[in-house]
Amino acid sequence: MPMQPWFTDAKLGIFLHYGIYAVDGVAESWSFYTGEVTHERYMKQLDGFTASLYDPRAWADLFARAGARYAVLTARHHDGVALWDTAHHNLDVARDTPAGRDLIGGFADALRARDLKVGLYYSHSDWNHPDYPSLRPVQPGDVPPSRFSHAEPGAEDPAAWERYLAYRDGQVGELVDRFRPDLLWFDGEWERTEEQWRMRELADLIVAGNPDTVLNARMLSHGDYATPEQGVPLRAPDGPWELCLTVNGSWGHRPDDRDFKSVGQLVRYFTETIGLGGNLLLAVGPREDGTIPSEQTERLEGLGAWIARHAEAVYGTVAGLPAGHHYGPSTLSADRRTLYLVCFDAPREAVSVRGLRNAVRRVTVLGTGGELGHRVTGGLHAVPGVTWIDAPAAEDLDAHATVLAVELDGELDLYRGSGRG
């Protein structure tokens, strides 16, 4: 099935890890798996999860101001606590917490009211389901197994595993039928093989309910796009992709984590990602009451303000120049006739572009319209010279990243050779 065009055009999504782990501000699910806190203390958080100030319309308004085109909410993390009133009940916020209601329907409605696409995160694994630790992986994964995830050697229970898969498929089917997500963001796939997960059957179930659903690569061979985490790749993954990045160092709400990335750093991550043809999925962690901390809100709004000033270089573009042609990220208009060069630092004399066979018609500073002189030096036979663009005036510089729009005399034509021998 071809990739949905909205995804590759979106550029920015917001990732929300929202669940009972926000009550005490501990790591989502992993804190009891690794023993950071006891399982008893972790589950006690059920009693404190209220969602008392949860306002998905305010979320959607914030995401729109940030320039995002989609958002992904953790419908169920590895701890097994579903954010909706599931008929396939193990744990959910409607029955088992003071929140007492479904939290996904309002999220989906609020996003669609702002013309944002709806993404839902769902973990294949459930470390609180009694039938989950009934099987062992055929091949060991990267994460050490625990009593929450794997049966003891010789204690496998195939019947229990079948019940677990029925539970998982039932919940995923509910998400598709009730909330019609545009994207399903799976996780936890490392604990079993594709065959043990029955990925083909799960993919068939999803596509039967909504053939346009986008699936991430944690559906293994049935995924539509790659999901690197926390570090910009040096080489773009094959096909569509998305970088998952936290605003501080944590996925969920951890008030002791004050290591917030600056707006300038987020602009760098964002432009480096879209310059390689990917999307940025930027993660924030709401408090248990549903409010997003001001430090995260301010950074989303700061990134959104930069995007709004430079929207022409963001939306409707594709990956720009390969490394070595320009010292910074770049994007390219869909008609391949305008290059957008990102400059993080103020150019001292000129900005250079190497290997450009095209003549340049005009160069302007995006956001201010200031026009810049340009010229070519050198070049021999098939090897083009260097295109030099005059440095922008101080009043044309952006506080985080200045973007130069380079209008070409035709579709981008690059020289990639090693020079005349």
Side-chain angles (χ1 to χ4, degrees):
M1 183 175 69
M3 184 53 147
Q4 294 299 310
W6 72 259
F7 180 84
T8 48
D9 290 341
K11 308 304 182 185
L12 180 65
I14 306 298
F15 207 1
L16 297 125
H17 282 64
Y18 185 39
I20 66 168
Y21 35 86
V23 174
D24 290 344
V26 298
E28 62 291 332
S29 306
W30 289 99
S31 53
F32 76 81
Y33 187 94
T34 62
E36 175 189 336
V37 301
T38 66
H39 183 258
E40 180 183 16
R41 177 190 162 189
Y42 186 94
M43 300 313 297
K44 183 68 176 171
Q45 293 177 108
L46 288 165
D47 299 334
F49 186 77
T50 67
S52 57
L53 298 176
Y54 175 57
D55 183 355
R57 289 173 297 181
W59 281 10
D61 289 345
L62 171 61
F63 304 158
R65 292 197 301 276
R69 297 291 175 87
Y70 66 109
V72 179
L73 174 63
T74 47
R76 180 176 73 63
H77 208 268
H78 316 313
D79 63 9
V81 182
L83 293 191
W84 78 103
D85 49 339
T86 174
H88 302 271
H89 177 244
N90 179 40
L91 292 165
D92 68 53
V93 298
R95 294 176 181 86
D96 302 305
T97 76
R101 66 195 189 281
D102 158 53
L103 301 179
I104 294 182
F107 171 80
D109 291 343
L111 290 189
R112 291 189 170 117
R114 293 304 307 259
D115 199 26
L116 303 176
K117 297 295 185 182
V118 177
L120 296 177
Y121 168 111
Y122 186 87
S123 175
H124 294 292
S125 55
D126 182 341
W127 296 332
N128 268 312
H129 196 287
D131 290 328
Y132 184 65
S134 57
L135 198 70
R136 294 187 64 77
V138 173
Q139 297 173 333
D142 296 333
V143 179
S146 85
R147 65 185 177 90
F148 301 109
S149 60
H150 297 105
E152 292 296 321
E156 293 89 351
D157 185 344
W161 183 246
E162 293 299 323
R163 291 194 300 269
Y164 177 77
L165 291 179
Y167 154 82
R168 180 207 60 179
D169 292 353
Q171 287 197 330
V172 172
E174 278 186 330
L175 293 176
V176 173
D177 293 341
R178 285 181 58 179
F179 307 115
R180 311 295 294 174
D182 302 287
L183 182 152
L184 280 171
W185 208 106
F186 286 94
D187 201 5
E189 82 296 339
W190 67 85
E191 291 197 329
R192 305 287 189 270
T193 65
E194 183 160 338
E195 293 72 22
Q196 288 175 313
W197 284 125
R198 312 263 176 86
M199 288 297 193
R200 176 177 294 280
E201 290 84 349
L202 180 60
D204 289 346
L205 179 154
I206 295 165
V207 170
N210 179 11
D212 294 332
T213 308
V214 175
L215 305 175
N216 72 339
R218 300 174 194 199
M219 281 291 290
L220 301 177
S221 67
H222 299 280
D224 297 313
Y225 70 94
T227 55
E229 286 187 28
Q230 296 287 49
V232 178
L234 296 180
R235 180 184 62 80
D238 294 332
W241 65 280
E242 165 194 81
L243 172 67
C244 315
L245 182 77
T246 52
V247 169
N248 53 3
S250 307
W251 298 105
H253 177 58
R254 302 205 70 172
D256 58 339
D257 181 356
R258 309 299 300 169
D259 190 19
F260 295 104
K261 297 171 182 68
S262 68
V263 172
Q265 287 175 318
L266 293 176
V267 168
R268 288 194 180 219
Y269 272 109
F270 178 65
T271 54
E272 288 167 352
T273 299
I274 67 173
L276 285 174
N279 290 350
L280 178 64
L281 185 63
L282 189 57
V284 296
R287 302 180 184 93
E288 67 81 18
D289 64 9
T291 58
I292 296 174
S294 60
E295 297 91 343
Q296 298 189 336
T297 296
E298 290 162 6
R299 283 158 175 80
L300 292 187
E301 290 176 335
L303 176 60
W306 185 91
I307 291 173
R309 293 192 298 272
H310 304 92
E312 181 186 323
V314 174
Y315 306 115
T317 64
V318 297
L321 298 169
H325 291 271
H326 160 64
Y327 295 104
S330 61
T331 59
L332 181 65
S333 61
D335 66 5
R336 303 185 64 79
R337 290 172 176 266
T338 303
L339 264 175
Y340 299 98
L341 308 178
V342 180
C343 303
F344 295 129
D345 301 310
R348 295 182 180 180
E349 178 183 350
V351 174
S352 65
V353 183
R354 297 188 295 173
L356 187 60
R357 287 195 177 108
N358 302 79
V360 172
R361 295 177 54 197
R362 190 168 75 127
V363 182
T364 54
V365 181
L366 217 56
T368 71
E371 189 158 347
L372 303 177
H374 54 88
R375 63 197 182 282
V376 178
T377 62
L380 180 64
H381 302 307
V383 184
V386 175
T387 300
W388 298 93
I389 300 167
D390 291 344
E395 59 267 23
D396 284 332
L397 296 176
D398 185 89
H400 300 303
T402 303
V403 180
L404 310 183
V406 182
E407 299 175 26
L408 308 174
D409 67 349
E411 294 188 15
L412 176 66
D413 185 8
L414 285 181
Y415 173 76
R416 299 283 289 157
S418 55
R420 187 170 181 228

